[in-house]
Amino acid sequence: MAGETVITVVGNLTADPELRYTQNGLPVANFTIASTPRNFDRAANEWKDGEALFLRASVWREFAEHVAGSLTKGMRVIATGRLRQRSYQDREGNQRTAIELEVDEIGPSLRYATAQVTRAASSGGNFQGGGGQSRPQQQVSEEPWSTPGSSTSADAWSTPGSFGDDTPF
């Protein structure tokens, strides 16, 4: 996708992602990421917060359901996506422009926290946040990359050699 502005943002969610559905039943999750730069002030010998950037973001389809079920207010996240600009008219009739992040990938930052990742029942992955904020998903154990040591005989990690020399994916 040549010519698109791709960025990566690290910040905290200002609220739980808001999951809604379009008239056609397509899921969309909207949320805001607050990214605050920190700089070391040598004169004061301390860290100081800069001015926060509040960036609206959106995810679509099954990805939206994964985000809404996994991420919560205050979580530090790493998001990458494409900046989109759209123009609209506000209630007073003024022309406005909004810049939003259309998220391609997002997950919890592990710099100050831990997370447990559980593969979603259908395509894609699901991030579970640490600190009691996780929402369990059904584990898919029929697949060769499922949990090591699981009871399934189709587990490539616990039964070496049974799937040949190739990795299971």
Side-chain angles (χ1 to χ4, degrees), residues 12 19 57 78 86 90 92 97 99 117 123 133 146-147 158:
N12 296 80
L19 181 64
I78 303 168
R86 64 180 177 89
D90 66 12
E92 289 80 39
T97 301
I99 296 175
V117 178
S123 66
Q133 299 172 340
S146 62
T147 306
S158 64

Side-chain angles (χ1 to χ4, degrees), residues 13 15-19 29-32 59 64 67-73:
L13 297 183
D16 289 348
E18 181 183 344
L19 181 64
N30 295 300
F31 50 94
T32 300
V59 293
V67 166
S70 302
L71 302 177
T72 57
K73 177 182 179 177

Side-chain angles (χ1 to χ4, degrees), residues 22-106:
T22 65
Q23 291 178 343
N24 296 333
L26 195 65
V28 59
N30 295 300
F31 50 94
T32 300
I33 301 171
S35 181
T36 307
R38 292 192 60 138
N39 299 307
F40 189 75
D41 183 349
R42 291 180 190 237
N45 200 31
E46 65 183 9
W47 287 95
K48 294 196 176 185
D49 288 339
E51 191 171 333
L53 167 70
F54 294 93
L55 186 60
R56 290 292 296 164
S58 63
V59 293
W60 292 85
R61 298 178 179 76
E62 189 178 22
F63 188 17
E65 293 172 336
H66 293 174
V67 166
S70 302
L71 302 177
T72 57
K73 177 182 179 177
M75 278 188 168
R76 186 172 178 84
V77 296
I78 303 168
T80 185
R82 291 159 282 139
L83 287 180
R84 297 283 188 217
Q85 179 174 305
R86 64 180 177 89
S87 297
Y88 64 95
Q89 213 171 47
D90 66 12
R91 292 182 180 141
E92 289 80 39
N94 300 318
Q95 195 68 18
R96 300 283 184 183
T97 301
I99 296 175
E100 299 171 340
L101 179 66
E102 190 173 298
V103 177
D104 292 325
E105 296 286 340
I106 188 169

